[in-house]
Each structure stands twice: as C-alpha cells, then as structure tokens.
Amino acid sequence: MSPLALTAFTATSALGRGLAATLDSLRTQRSGLAPCSFETVTLDTCVGAVAELDAVRLPPELSEYDCRNNRLAWLALAQDDFGESVARCAARYAPQRIGVFLGTSTSGILETEIAYRQRDPGSGALPAGFRYRGAHNTFSLAAFTQRALALAGPAAVISCACSSSAKVFASAQRAIAAGLIDAAVVGGVDSLCLTTLYGFHSLQLVARTPCRPFDAARDGISIGEAAAFALLERADANLDADDVLLLGTGESSDAWHMSTPPPDGRGARAAMLQALAAAALEPGDIDYINFHGTGTASNDAAEATAVAAVLGRDVPGSSTKGATGHALGAAGALEAVICALALRAQLMPGGINTSAVDPQLPISYLRENRTAALARVMSNSFGFGGSNCCLILARAG
Amino acid sequence: MDTLQACIASVGILGPGLPDWPTAARVLAGAAPWEAAPVLLPQPVALPSAERRRTGAAVRLTLAVGLEATASAAIDPSLLPAVFSSSGGDGQNCHEICEALASADRQLSPTRFHNSVHNAPAGYWGIATGATAATNSLCAHDASFGAGLLEALCQVRVERRPVLFIAYDTSYPQPMRSVRPIPAEFGVALLLAPPGSAGALAHIALGWSSAPADCMDAAPLEQLRSSIPAARGLPLLARLARGAAGPVRIEYLDGARIALEVSHAAGS
C-alpha cells in the first residue's frame, strides 16, 4: 500500500488529556487504573476512567448527541489543535472529500442502561427524552464527530469489538486508495458502561487488581475508557523526519470461537504477516511492538506465540493496558497514537504492573522504559468474534 | 480517480414475503404479487451444535442470506472476505442485557455478552464457513446499507477480489421498539466481484446525487424499504430482478444519495 501520513493525532484516556499528558504519564510509568467507583457498579475491580469526564458538556447545537461516549469524544477533539488541523484539511480538499471512520463497541449504551432502570412501572416505556439515534445507536459517535468537525464525506462506525479502532485505519486507507475520499478522520471512542463491566465479569475475565499483561500471575483485564483520533492523508514529499506514517495494515478472522483465540494465535499471525507484506517490510524491520496484551491468560499466551512465530522472540514489546486499562473499541486507536508518540519521542514505553514476566511466553517483554532509535513499530488489536488487526507505523525520516 | 465499479455476481435475501432470491426476484420484477409472510429464520446448521444453540436472529439471518449468495454463485464461502452492515445488530439480545442490568442482581449470561458485539454475525460466519479472511462490521444508522456497500466497493477495488456484502437488521422488542420501530428481520447479501467477472448478474458504477432516493412502486415493498435500513437497497435489487439497466439512487447520509449506474455485466 502507499503510505499515509498521520498529519494530526490526539488521545485522551486515564493517562490524561492530550498528547503531552499522555507522554508524561508514559515517561513516568504512571498508571491511570484505580478502584472502580463508576456509576452504581459494585464490582471489585479497577478501571481506567477519564478524570472529570462527568463535567464535560456538549455545545447546545450538538445536544441531541449527548451521552458519556460523545462527551469523551468532544473532550478529546478539543486537545492538540486536532479540530484546527481537520479544518485546514477540509479547506484544502472539501468537507465532502474527508471521511470519518471511527471504532466503538458500546457507543452511548450507558444512557440506555440507565433508561431501563427508569421505565414506566405500568407500561414499561422508556423515559421521555430517550434518544435512540443520538445516544444509543452505534453510529452516534461518527455522526456526532462528523458534525463537530463540520465534515460531510462518507462516514461509518466500525464495530468489531476490541479491534474496531485499529480496523478504521485499514478502511480509511482503502477508501483513500480507491479514490472515494482524499483524507480521513479515524479513531475510536469507548466509555465506561455496565454492559462491559458486568459482561466481562460474567466471563470471569476481569482482574481484581490492576491488570498485569504477560505476568506469570496475570488474571484478567482492567477496563478503561479512551478517545483517540488521527487525521490520515496521502504522504507527500514535504514530510518532516518527525512525521508519522501508516505503512501497513493487516486484518484476519480466527474462524474459531466467539471469545477465545486459537492457542497458536494463527489469526493474529496472519494479520501481522499481512501488515508486513502491505508495508513491504521484513520481520527484522520492526523495532518495537505494542502488544494487544489484555492480561488474560489465554489471550496473552496466544499473542506471544503468534508474535514469536512472525517476529522471533527478540523484538522488544510491551502492553500499555497496564497504564490505560483496556479501552475496548478505542484500544486500537489509542495504541496507534501511543505508537506515534513513541516514534516521535524515541521511547519504548515499558509495560507497568507486570512484576514477573511469564517465562513460558517466548517474547522480550519490556517492563522499563527504553530510549532507542525507533524507525518502525507494530501495534496489535484483537477482538471478540475472532477479529484481528495489525498496524505498522513509522517515522518519515 | 475513475469511478468505483463492481459486478454483482449473486444475491441472497430473506425478509417479509421475500424468502429467497428466486422468489424475491419474481416479486421485485412485478411477475408475482408481494404476499405478507413471517420471516422464517432457518436453523444455522452450518454451525457446530454447541454454537448453534447460542445464536439469535442476527446470526441466523446473516448465515441464511450469505450462504444463499455463495451457493448461487458456486463460490466457496471460506475463501471470501465479508462486510457486514447493520443499523442495530441483534435487538433482542441488546434488550435482554439492558433488562438484566436494570435488575437487582445484574447477572449477565456470558453467551449473551459475547453475542452482544456488533460483529457477532461476522464471528459466527467464520466459525460456520471456516473463512479466515478479514471481515468488517459497520453501522451507519439509517445509512447502513450504503455505508456497507461503499466499504465493499473499496475492498473490491483495492484488493481486486470478490467480497461478500451482507446488510441486515433485526427488530427490537418493547420498549426499544417504540423508539426504533424496525418491523421485521431483513437481510440481503450481494456477492461483489471485480468488473468484468464472468457470469455476473449486473455491473454497477458509483456516483452521487442530491435528488431523492428511489422508492418502490408497490406500497408494501416501499414500506419495507423505508422502515428497515437494510432494505434501503431494494431499488437496486428491483433493477437486478428486472434485468433493466439504468440509474438507482439509494439513501445515504443526510442530503447525499448513492447513485449507482446499473448495466449489463460485461463478460456475462
């Protein structure tokens, strides 16, 4: 594929608002995970919540989209001059020539969960004012973002569980290559809700203490919330050395089980090989890998096996979910932005919370930050339904 | 950049009074009347029995239309990438989860939870067919048919290989039905292939329009088109059924319509 430039990007998560706060948290190895006090949840677990999200308000003209998820999107869009960069891009092409492709798994379902507690005792009806299109519907995030950024091109939400907002990079890349659009806003937003907290609990996949990816004693995920966005354009000749490129994407399906990967991680392996082929790279060209690394026993084992099969066991890598929690449908974009930051800062972020790396896993897991020459990095995202996606990002110079 | 184009190699369909493509094609061509009939979702026999019991309407619907399209084109479904698009996924499953979370104990069934992901039909499709190529699962509210079609057309162009496109919707029970009144299950599968593929039903080329979307002549079919997002593509299917070349405008986002130019497939 032809490389695309990430001409703007931003992220807001439990690590903070915007790139500077995110990078500072990574440099100091600060975790955003804390005991869960979200809404009425009574589970003994930790979450990566975005600070003061409850205080964020949408502007009146966008109030039909009000929900926790779109407030998080609004908060993130206001960081790092992202909106200004998109406006410049829209002036250069046209609002109709810029696509919006965003990932989310649960959109504004928290509003629906709360509305179900407020049903009319007689009729069972939802409370007046319940907004299906603006809050509940999965597309609400992309509709809201498109309006917030005054764009008018093709738009879609891609909802493939925890691979969603990695896959948006691949869809946007195809749409640009096919000539459907000239540029795309991609990203992902997922916010805390009861469905995922109680749902992962029902599968016994939620850790009590902050998650410990690839630890010998890992015992599940910590759920986080995040919003991350990037503006993708064709890479032109005027790139700075610090600019970040999307070099390759790979996608595959496990065709195995709804919530567990095959032990050999063959779907993950296929996605990584495809991304390398798309980027015209060899396995030895990858300097750092940001693992999907959720912290469950089976996911981490399958991913380690797949990574070792493709890259060998010596490429340094880490999961940043010990710091951010698992942002589910936003994880792919969040970790792509973390990779872009890593390339800019020449910093491999160590994976925190992990105290003893599982000796059974054939990988070189970084627990401490390492400063090193980073040219090309890989980011994995895998989701329920056996949906796998791998992205390769690189410095322009 | 030149126009996005593809061939439509085959169709699968399941909706009220439209039980399969041969029947639906006669109805859509005006050769037979549309008759109200409930949507009978076939047992998902392609799935292992343990998985079969866990499936809801969305999975059964998408397997039915997807397998009809691949069987009719005599294509092995395990070799195809697939694009799924739905306005709301599995409405019944979503309702059951919200109801459980509003109850005192908040106990969710693990199966209900993993079936709640929007890409559950794509996951079961892989398990049923063995397809390990990429799938995608999109949502664009009322524009979901158009959004899925655009994604599939881009894949055909860039990957230069056939792609199975499945648009589907299921109905919600109350109280969600009052706020999102989708009246019935409806699914359609289009097997898209690069232009010039042998044996195709038709060729389509993508354009845009701000003129109103095409409607169906028959009132009950127009009722389906306008009330079920996945059925927004019925005017395209009607043109395929009649074998008639010409333009079709399909509802998309806000003021934009997808304007397809349908022609007889070269090489067919």
Side-chain angles (χ1 to χ4, degrees):
Chain A
M1 59 172 261
S2 301
L4 296 175
L6 283 70
T7 53
F9 53 90
T10 187
T12 291
S13 70
L15 295 184
R17 299 178 174 190
L19 296 177
T22 303
L23 183 59
D24 185 62
S25 291
L26 293 172
R27 283 196 195 282
T28 56
Q29 296 208 290
R30 186 182 77 80
S31 173
L33 301 180
C36 178
S37 60
F38 174 70
E39 225 265 326
T40 55
V41 173
T42 55
L43 300 173
D44 184 12
T45 186
C46 291
V47 295
V50 170
E52 296 168 55
L53 180 53
D54 289 329
V56 174
R57 294 287 175 272
L58 301 186
E61 66 273 20
L62 294 170
S63 61
E64 65 183 293
Y65 297 103
D66 190 31
C67 61
R68 184 180 184 85
N69 209 55
N70 289 335
R71 290 183 189 195
L72 177 49
W74 180 249
L75 177 64
L77 288 169
Q79 313 302 319
D80 299 304
D81 297 325
F82 188 79
E84 288 79 355
S85 299
V86 173
R88 276 196 298 277
C89 183
R92 184 155 69 256
Y93 302 109
Q96 293 78 10
R97 294 289 301 171
I98 303 180
V100 173
F101 302 94
L102 300 175
T104 187
S105 65
T106 52
S107 190
I109 202 168
L110 174 64
E111 301 290 317
T112 315
E113 295 164 355
I114 293 169
Y116 263 68
R117 287 187 223 142
Q118 300 165 348
R119 292 169 65 179
D120 183 275
S123 69
L126 294 168
F130 176 80
R131 287 165 296 106
Y132 176 86
R133 189 181 69 88
H136 175 92
N137 189 261
T138 301
F139 183 61
S140 158
L141 167 66
F144 167 75
T145 302
Q146 192 180 38
R147 275 163 185 73
L149 296 172
L151 298 176
V157 156
I158 288 175
S159 191
C160 298
C162 304
S163 66
S164 303
S165 64
K167 288 173 73 72
V168 295
F169 286 80
S171 283
Q173 181 269 324
R174 283 189 291 267
I176 292 171
L180 185 68
I181 51 173
D182 291 315
V185 171
V186 297
V189 185
D190 247 342
S191 46
L192 295 176
C193 63
L194 277 60
T195 298
T196 48
L197 280 159
Y198 285 93
F200 280 106
H201 180 74
S202 77
L203 287 164
Q204 300 179 300
L205 292 176
V206 178
R208 197 175 59 75
T209 55
C211 69
R212 293 170 284 175
F214 299 98
D215 196 294
R218 64 188 181 277
D219 59 354
I221 69 172
S222 301
I223 293 176
E225 61 187 351
F229 293 97
L231 178 59
L232 295 180
E233 301 179 61
R234 289 186 194 90
D236 63 26
N238 305 318
L239 294 168
D240 292 334
D242 257 358
D243 285 336
V244 176
L245 302 175
L246 175 69
L247 288 190
T249 66
E251 299 168 279
S252 72
S253 302
D254 284 342
W256 171 261
H257 188 269
M258 276 303 292
S259 56
T260 311
D264 62 2
R266 54 184 181 266
R269 192 170 66 213
M272 286 185 276
L273 289 171
Q274 214 183 97
L276 285 168
L281 293 176
E282 299 296 323
D285 295 328
I286 301 299
D287 301 317
Y288 163 79
I289 177 166
N290 187 286
F291 294 111
H292 187 55
T294 60
T296 71
S298 59
N299 286 1
D300 289 2
E303 184 178 12
T305 302
V307 168
V310 174
L311 299 181
R313 51 173 65 215
D314 297 329
V315 177
S318 62
S319 164
T320 41
K321 289 185 173 70
T324 63
H326 188 352
L328 308 176
L334 173 64
E335 289 157 27
V337 167
I338 287 175
C339 282
L341 273 177
L343 287 164
R344 282 227 171 126
Q346 297 288 282
L347 171 77
M348 301 186 209
I352 61 175
N353 303 340
T354 299
S355 53
V357 178
D358 187 343
Q360 304 293 319
L361 303 182
I363 54 170
S364 295
Y365 194 75
L366 274 180
R367 293 193 302 122
E368 303 299 331
N369 285 349
R370 184 184 296 175
T371 305
L374 288 183
R376 290 164 294 271
V377 304
M378 181 181 264
S379 179
N380 278 341
S381 297
F382 312 129
F384 275 8
S387 175
N388 309 302
C389 186
C390 174
L391 304 178
I392 296 176
L393 301 175
R395 281 175 64 84
Chain B
M1 183 67 68
D2 53 345
T3 311
L4 276 178
Q5 304 175 46
C7 287
I8 298 177
S10 61
V11 183
I13 191 169
L14 181 52
L18 304 170
D20 53 46
W21 177 240
T23 308
R26 283 194 297 278
V27 171
L28 294 169
W34 181 84
E35 289 173 20
V39 179
L40 299 177
L41 298 171
Q43 284 295 314
V45 291
L47 285 167
S49 58
E51 304 287 352
R52 209 176 299 167
R53 290 192 301 275
R54 299 173 169 171
T55 58
V59 171
R60 295 171 183 213
L61 179 62
T62 49
L63 275 170
V65 298
L67 292 175
E68 186 192 1
T70 53
S72 139
I75 269 204
D76 178 353
S78 74
L79 304 176
L80 290 172
V83 174
F84 294 75
S85 192
S86 174
S87 161
D90 187 329
Q92 179 72 33
N93 196 71
C94 174
H95 164 75
E96 305 263 359
I97 285 177
C98 289
E99 208 159 50
L101 291 171
S103 72
D105 70 5
R106 295 184 173 177
Q107 290 286 322
L108 290 192
S109 128
T111 298
R112 218 169 257 311
F113 177 59
H114 76 220
N115 282 355
S116 75
V117 296
H118 193 69
N119 61 319
Y124 283 104
W125 172 262
I127 295 168
T129 63
T132 56
T135 64
N136 220 345
S137 298
L138 285 75
C139 174
H141 191 249
D142 283 347
S144 294
F145 180 89
L149 180 63
L150 291 179
E151 165 75 18
L153 286 172
C154 287
Q155 289 198 16
V156 168
R157 161 65 65 90
V158 174
E159 314 287 344
R160 297 189 181 88
R161 61 191 280 200
V163 172
L164 183 63
F165 165 47
I166 299 178
Y168 71 96
D169 277 301
T170 70
S171 56
Y172 287 102
Q174 291 294 4
M176 290 288 274
R177 196 181 179 96
S178 292
V179 294
R180 184 57 165 167
I182 291 175
E185 274 59 50
F186 186 97
V188 57
L190 299 178
L191 180 60
L192 301 178
S197 300
L201 297 174
H203 175 276
I204 54 174
L206 175 73
W208 298 95
S209 172
S210 55
D214 288 352
C215 297
M216 301 301 288
D217 293 334
L221 292 170
E222 174 56 16
Q223 172 63 20
L224 289 180
R225 187 198 71 84
S226 60
S227 62
I228 307 175
R232 296 292 203 276
L234 274 175
L236 169 62
L237 300 184
R239 215 171 249 297
L240 296 183
R242 291 197 303 268
V248 176
R249 285 189 304 274
I250 295 171
E251 184 178 322
Y252 187 52
L253 295 167
D254 304 319
R257 317 279 176 267
I258 290 174
L260 296 174
E261 190 63 34
V262 181
S263 57
H264 299 295
S268 63

